[in-house]
């Protein structure tokens, strides 16, 4: 019996596993982002929380790889979107239209970031800092 481990195979398996987790997270984010843009189609914050937890738990496994930037990208996207939604929440109390416009812009921005990340992951490229 040999104790030799093929490092390339282990790294390849790890990279594929991280990419699968990344795709799962991106798809969950995409469902939420598309539902946020389409009036009346709410996927619910539960999917977003699940995706965020996956990213937070698996982020350390991606350290030192190009995929680490994707975990940070998704986490930052969710945090910024949440902050922007909270900051613009009072607009809904003033008039409905300003709140609807602000949240529509934020939702489109979030959708853009998710699609941009998915395109980069498909090309095996890291995300910018």
């Amino acid at each position: 019996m040999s104790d030799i481990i093929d490092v390339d195979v282990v790294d390849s398996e790890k990279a594929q596993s991280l990419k699968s987790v990344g795709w799962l997270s991106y798809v969950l984010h995409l469902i939420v982002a598309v539902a946020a843009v389409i009036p009346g189609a709410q996927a619910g914050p539960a999917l977003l929380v699940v995706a965020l937890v996956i990213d937070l738990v698996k982020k350390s496994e991606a350290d030192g790889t190009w995929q680490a930037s994707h975990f940070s990208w998704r986490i930052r996207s969710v945090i910024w979107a949440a902050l922007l939604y909270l900051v613009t929440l009072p607009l809904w109390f003033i008039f409905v239209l300003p709140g609807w416009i602000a949240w529509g812009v934020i939702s489109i921005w979030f959708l853009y970031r998710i699609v941009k990340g998915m395109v980069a992951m498909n090309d095996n490229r890291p995300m910018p800092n």
Side-chain angles (χ1 to χ4, degrees):
M1 183 144 75
S2 175
D3 288 339
I4 298 173
I5 298 174
D6 189 356
V7 176
D8 290 337
V9 172
V10 171
D11 287 344
S12 176
E13 289 174 3
K14 178 182 175 184
Q16 188 57 43
S17 172
L18 287 171
K19 197 168 185 179
S20 295
V21 168
W23 277 115
L24 171 66
S25 180
Y26 270 127
V27 168
L28 292 174
H29 281 88
L30 184 65
I31 291 168
V32 172
V34 168
V37 173
I38 298 172
Q42 293 300 320
L47 287 179
L48 195 58
V49 170
V50 168
L52 183 61
V53 168
I54 289 171
D55 287 337
L56 291 170
V57 169
K58 292 291 191 174
K59 185 177 188 279
S60 63
E61 292 180 27
D63 286 345
T65 68
W66 63 269
Q67 295 176 20
S69 65
H70 284 273
F71 284 92
S72 296
W73 179 264
R74 290 187 301 267
I75 292 167
R76 283 194 318 264
S77 296
V78 171
I79 290 171
W80 274 108
L83 288 173
L84 290 170
Y85 282 130
L86 285 174
V87 166
T88 59
L89 182 62
L91 292 175
W92 285 97
F93 299 119
I94 298 170
F95 294 106
V96 173
L97 185 62
W100 184 81
I101 291 171
W103 282 27
V105 170
I106 296 165
S107 297
I108 291 169
W109 170 82
F110 185 69
L111 179 60
Y112 165 77
R113 283 188 60 100
I114 298 307
V115 170
K116 183 177 179 179
M118 292 177 87
V119 169
M121 179 169 265
N122 192 49
D123 293 340
N124 294 327
R125 288 183 291 120
M127 295 307 298
N129 289 333

